[in-house]
Amino acid sequence: MFKFTMSEVRDLFIAFVVISLCFAIANAGRDVNGVLNILPIIMVGVGAGFILHELGHKFVSMKYGYWAEFKLWPQGLLFALITSFFGFVFAAPGAVYTYADYMTDEINGKISIAGPVVNIILALIFLAAATVIYPSALYSETHALIFIICAVGYSVNSFLAVFNLLPIGNLDGSKVLRWNIVIWIVTIAIAGIMTFMSMTMGPQNIVRMIIGL
């Protein structure tokens, strides 16, 4: 059964708020009004991306019969906040800990890849929604706001996917690479291309390219 502890809910909420703030600072800099204005928009993409990423790990862990629980990493949150002032976010606020006496590299790899795959799927959903609403966003302020939310959701989730797939330390990428190098290459390539396009072209130009404008 999919269960949460009170401490887990608390840790997820704290991590969600702080990571959202970090992405807002990374985008708006030290402009307080800019941070406050963009924060609600950032929260949609980060909220979906961060929470569902962690739930992906938890769901697959529990599917294999293990107890899994998200735990906050205060030092990681502090480091994320510090890096945000330099224009990027080292997003490692915590992790889902899976409790098992023994686990194969395959199962560990499948649990680990679940989070980044969720981010890739969410990024594509946000991009599809942005593409659908873009024509009307040119004439409607409400649709324009929805487009911005979707564009940010695409960018944030693409970044979260490629970041977590890096084969560094205890990030997901290390465990996926240890399990299956081909799957790791394919997934990080997809996430990397999506992130590269987001950073170089921007979501709006990607959408315009898709619809042929």
Side-chain angles (χ1 to χ4, degrees):
M1 187 179 293
F2 211 57
K3 293 182 178 179
F4 295 89
T5 64
M6 289 302 295
S7 61
E8 183 178 20
V9 173
R10 178 203 63 205
D11 285 2
L12 280 168
F13 178 75
I14 293 172
F16 157 64
V17 172
V18 176
I19 287 297
S20 297
L21 179 61
C22 290
F23 275 100
I25 294 171
N27 281 273
R30 301 183 183 183
D31 178 2
V32 176
N33 288 330
V35 169
L36 293 177
N37 287 334
I38 199 175
L39 183 58
I41 296 172
I42 292 285
M43 279 181 159
V44 176
V46 173
F50 168 70
I51 299 295
L52 293 180
H53 173 105
E54 300 301 340
L55 292 186
H57 292 315
K58 185 179 177 77
F59 176 79
V60 177
S61 294
M62 299 184 78
K63 179 184 175 183
Y64 281 106
Y66 303 120
W67 172 250
E69 183 177 355
F70 177 82
K71 290 186 178 294
L72 197 67
W73 184 33
Q75 295 90 333
L77 272 185
L78 179 60
F79 191 56
L81 191 59
I82 292 172
T83 58
S84 69
F85 286 97
F86 295 92
F88 70 98
V89 180
F90 189 90
V96 169
Y97 289 84
T98 300
Y99 298 90
D101 294 329
Y102 173 76
M103 186 186 299
T104 64
D105 286 342
E106 179 182 359
I107 293 177
N108 199 16
K110 288 179 178 179
I111 291 172
S112 299
I113 203 172
V117 167
V118 166
N119 291 131
I120 290 172
I121 292 172
L122 281 172
L124 293 174
I125 291 173
F126 275 120
L127 182 61
T131 302
V132 170
I133 205 166
Y134 181 72
S136 59
L138 300 174
Y139 311 102
S140 167
E141 290 186 2
T142 301
H143 288 187
L145 177 60
I146 295 173
F147 174 80
I148 292 171
I149 291 172
C150 291
V152 171
Y154 168 77
S155 298
V156 167
N157 279 280
S158 298
F159 172 80
L160 288 175
V162 75
F163 173 81
N164 281 283
L165 283 167
L166 294 174
I168 299 173
N170 204 36
L171 292 178
D172 298 327
S174 299
K175 303 162 194 173
V176 177
L177 181 60
R178 190 160 55 244
W179 161 48
N180 191 310
I181 188 172
V182 174
I183 291 177
W184 175 78
I185 290 173
V186 171
T187 50
I188 198 171
I190 293 171
I193 291 170
M194 292 167 63
T195 302
F196 178 77
M197 292 178 67
S198 172
M199 296 177 69
T200 55
M201 295 177 60
Q204 182 171 348
N205 287 327
I206 296 174
V207 168
R208 289 172 64 86
M209 180 181 69
I210 292 172
I211 62 180
L213 290 179

